[in-house]
Amino acid sequence: MKISVYNFQPKNHRESICWDIAKSLKETDMRFILSCLNKYGIHPIEEAWGIIREAQPGKIQDPRKYFNKVVRDLGEKQKKQN
């Protein structure tokens, strides 16, 4: 079931960070970012957000899709290292 970004109520600081990122990316659903938070922790999410923010404007056609890919890649890399 969809978790609307508009109606989402963060329960802690990590969820608040995810909510801010989702709003900035103009996401409509919190499920993906929350599942990444549960699976990988906050570090890959924050790192991916930093990569997105540092990218040159216009270089990324779909920031949401790119963010999702970067989070997954960083999270999986982190899991392999642990």
Side-chain angles (χ1 to χ4, degrees):
M1 179 181 260
K2 182 177 178 176
I3 302 172
S4 169
V5 172
Y6 178 75
N7 295 320
F8 183 70
Q9 297 291 318
K11 294 179 184 81
N12 54 50
H13 182 66
R14 294 178 317 140
E15 285 188 1
S16 183
I17 291 168
C18 292
W19 187 43
D20 288 339
I21 292 170
K23 290 185 295 185
S24 294
L25 289 170
K26 296 180 175 58
E27 284 286 357
T28 59
D29 190 346
M30 291 292 296
R31 288 179 296 181
F32 177 79
I33 199 165
L34 292 176
S35 71
C36 288
L37 178 62
N38 289 328
K39 188 172 184 177
Y40 307 124
I42 195 67
H43 180 72
I45 293 169
E46 289 179 316
E47 189 174 348
W49 181 235
I51 291 168
I52 297 293
R53 288 191 331 225
E54 290 177 7
Q56 292 179 339
K59 287 284 185 184
I60 302 171
Q61 291 182 0
D62 187 343
R64 292 182 300 180
K65 186 175 180 179
Y66 185 64
F67 174 81
N68 293 351
K69 180 188 180 333
V70 173
V71 167
R72 262 191 240 111
D73 291 349
L74 291 170
E76 290 301 318
K77 180 180 176 184
Q78 174 183 286
K79 280 176 65 174
K80 287 178 183 177
Q81 290 175 348
N82 291 337

